[in-house]
């Protein structure tokens, strides 16, 4: 199908039976009725011996700000609003992330979740750096001020808690992008 600048309308009246047939055929093809009628007209014009159809216009260059308009059923719109609100995102941004996720096969993290994970990774990195400095000093025969059993237990508990939290956060994130119910895996 060619991309053409659509700047004119063609109107016609048909019987309810014809309208119902067009609707069923469009649904079967996964397109709307207007697109189906447009495609039918293009086929007729291409096969017509009267005139050559107009040459297709060059496809528009798609910019980052390209817009896509989608019609949703009322129930789908309600679900979209619920899910986007739960993620703290506008509905259009949520849909854009879903499409990008589907096309690229990766579940994206919204900015707030990404920043929280990034901060936690920085804290874990600092803990690891401190533990490495202690280990290096011990290996070199030094006597660093070592953390006690309680401090080591607390660090281990924090690290394990963060690990488990990250694991659950990532699972929940993947489930939310797939639209799964909030059940444990």
């Amino acid at each position: 199908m060619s991309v053409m600048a659509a700047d004119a309308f063609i109107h016609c009246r048909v019987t309810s039976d014809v309208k119902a047939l067009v609707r069923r055929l469009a649904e079967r093809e996964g397109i709307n009725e207007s697109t189906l009628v447009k495609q039918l007209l293009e086929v007729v014009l291409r096969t017509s011996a009267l005139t050559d159809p107009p040459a297709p216009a060059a496809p528009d260059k798609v910019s980052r700000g390209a817009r896509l308009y989608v019609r949703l059923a009322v129930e789908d719109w309600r679900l979209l609003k619920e899910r986007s609100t739960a993620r703290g995102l506008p509905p259009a941004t949520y849909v854009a992330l879903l499409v990008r996720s589907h096309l690229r096969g990766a579940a994206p993290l919204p900015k707030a979740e990404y920043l929280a994970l990034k901060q936690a990774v920085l804290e874990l990195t600092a803990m690891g750096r401190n533990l490495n400095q202690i280990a290096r000093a011990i290996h070199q025969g030094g006597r660093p001020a070592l953390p006690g059993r309680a401090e080591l237990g607390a660090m281990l508990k924090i690290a394990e808690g963060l690990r488990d939290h990250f694991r659950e956060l990532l699972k929940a994130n993947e489930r939310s992008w797939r639209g799964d119910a909030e059940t444990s895996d």
Side-chain angles (χ1 to χ4, degrees):
M1 189 168 109
S2 62
V3 177
M4 294 186 199
D7 59 357
F9 289 95
I10 295 177
H11 301 275
C12 68
R13 294 197 179 272
V14 295
T15 66
S16 297
D17 292 340
V18 170
K19 171 79 172 166
L21 285 171
V22 169
R23 178 179 294 129
R24 284 199 310 269
L25 182 57
E27 287 172 351
R28 187 178 77 194
E29 296 297 317
I31 57 178
N32 64 35
E33 295 166 31
S34 294
T35 302
L36 175 66
V37 171
K38 184 178 175 183
Q39 289 175 355
L40 291 171
L41 281 172
E42 288 174 352
V43 168
V44 169
L45 292 174
R46 272 196 305 270
T47 59
S48 172
L50 296 176
T51 61
D52 291 332
D60 293 333
K61 195 173 192 178
V62 178
S63 69
R64 174 160 163 55
R67 293 197 178 268
L68 173 67
Y69 297 93
V70 179
R71 290 187 183 134
L72 297 174
V74 173
E75 180 62 16
D76 292 339
W77 175 250
R78 186 189 63 73
L79 289 170
L80 172 62
K81 290 286 286 182
E82 283 178 9
R83 291 205 180 134
S84 65
T85 300
R87 296 195 84 67
L89 297 170
T93 303
Y94 180 77
V95 170
L97 288 171
L98 284 175
V99 169
R100 190 174 306 126
S101 170
H102 178 75
L103 294 175
R104 297 174 190 244
L109 288 171
K111 187 175 183 178
E113 291 176 18
Y114 172 78
L115 292 174
L117 284 173
K118 191 171 181 179
Q119 181 60 38
V121 167
L122 290 173
E123 290 176 22
L124 285 172
T125 301
M127 279 176 50
R129 195 171 27 251
N130 291 340
L131 291 173
N132 281 333
Q133 288 172 354
I134 292 169
R136 191 173 343 175
I138 290 172
H139 289 311
Q140 292 174 351
R143 295 278 226 199
L146 297 176
R149 182 176 287 244
E151 290 87 2
L152 286 174
M155 283 191 273
L156 182 60
K157 191 172 184 175
I158 289 169
E160 288 173 344
L162 282 171
R163 180 201 61 210
D164 295 343
H165 181 70
F166 287 168
R167 190 176 286 151
E168 289 306 312
L169 178 64
L170 292 171
K171 284 180 186 176
N173 183 59
E174 289 172 12
R175 281 193 308 266
S176 72
W177 290 113
R178 288 191 314 255
D180 295 350
E182 291 297 320
T183 60
S184 59
D185 292 345

